[in-house]
Amino acid sequence: MKTLGMRDDIVINRITADVALPIRHRVLWPDLPMDAARVSEDDTGLHFGAYYKSWLVGVASIFLNEGGARLRKFAVLPEYQGHGIGSTLVRYTMEQVEALGASEFWCDARQTAIPFYERFGMRVDSAPFDKRGVAYVRMSRPLQEGFGSLEQGDVTL
C-alpha cells in the first residue's frame, strides 16, 4: 500500500481489471453495457485504484508496449472529481511506469480533458478523432530514455 504525500487520505493500490470495471462503466460509458468498459488487453494491464478513506473512487489502467506506457480507462467518480484524486492517480502511474523504464506516457484523451492532461506536461499530437460519438485526441509526453523494448510480460510491481 502506498500513501501519497499530496493528500494523506488518498491511497493508491494495485487492483484487478474486474475491480476497476464498475467505476470505469459508471464514469466513462454509463449508457452502454458493462462490457463496453473492458478492453481486450485487460488481462495484461497494470491496474491501479485510488482509495479515499478506504473507498475505491478512481481507477487507471496502464498498458506497456515498445517502450511506451498507455493510460486507458482512467476514471474518477463524479462526486470525487475536482479534489486532486485524479491528479494523484495520474502522477503516481507516471512515476511507476517511468521507474519501469517506459520512455513515453500517452493516452487518447477526450477533447474536454485536454487542459487536465496538459498539467502533466502532455501535449496533443494528433488530429481529433471520434470514439462512440465522443471527440478524442492523442496526447503524450516523453519520460526517461527507457530500456528499449518494454513489454507487458516484463513487469512485476
Side-chain angles (χ1 to χ4, degrees):
M1 186 160 41
K2 170 76 174 164
T3 302
L4 303 177
M6 184 177 136
R7 290 187 57 153
D8 291 336
D9 50 0
I10 299 171
V11 176
I12 308 294
N13 286 330
R14 284 286 305 275
I15 60 173
T16 65
D18 286 337
V19 170
L21 192 60
I23 290 180
R24 286 179 177 180
H25 178 251
R26 180 175 164 198
V27 174
L28 301 174
W29 303 107
D31 298 330
L32 297 175
M34 181 83 74
D35 278 346
R38 292 188 187 277
V39 295
S40 61
E41 303 88 1
D42 268 339
D43 58 336
T44 61
L46 303 173
H47 308 284
F48 297 91
Y51 290 82
Y52 174 74
K53 296 188 177 183
S54 78
W55 293 94
L56 182 64
V57 298
V59 298
S61 296
I62 302 291
F63 300 90
L64 303 171
N65 196 328
E66 299 176 12
R70 181 180 184 188
L71 173 66
R72 295 188 77 184
K73 304 301 180 188
F74 167 56
V76 175
L77 293 173
E79 58 270 31
Y80 291 93
Q81 292 175 11
H83 299 286
I85 295 169
S87 294
T88 300
L89 190 53
V90 169
R91 214 173 273 114
Y92 181 81
T93 57
M94 286 178 123
E95 291 169 1
Q96 292 297 302
V97 298
E98 187 170 26
L100 292 170
S103 59
E104 179 187 44
F105 188 84
W106 70 281
C107 68
D108 291 342
R110 292 179 184 209
Q111 279 193 301
T112 57
I114 290 172
F116 173 80
Y117 290 108
E118 286 177 334
R119 292 188 306 198
F120 303 99
M122 298 180 77
R123 298 289 174 248
V124 173
D125 54 23
S126 79
F129 56 93
D130 182 86
K131 287 186 190 182
R132 298 180 180 155
V134 178
Y136 282 80
V137 293
R138 185 184 191 277
M139 295 187 75
S140 67
R141 71 163 280 177
L143 297 173
Q144 62 186 10
E145 288 300 316
F147 302 126
S149 181
L150 181 62
E151 297 293 332
Q152 206 67 50
D154 298 335
V155 175
T156 304
L157 285 180

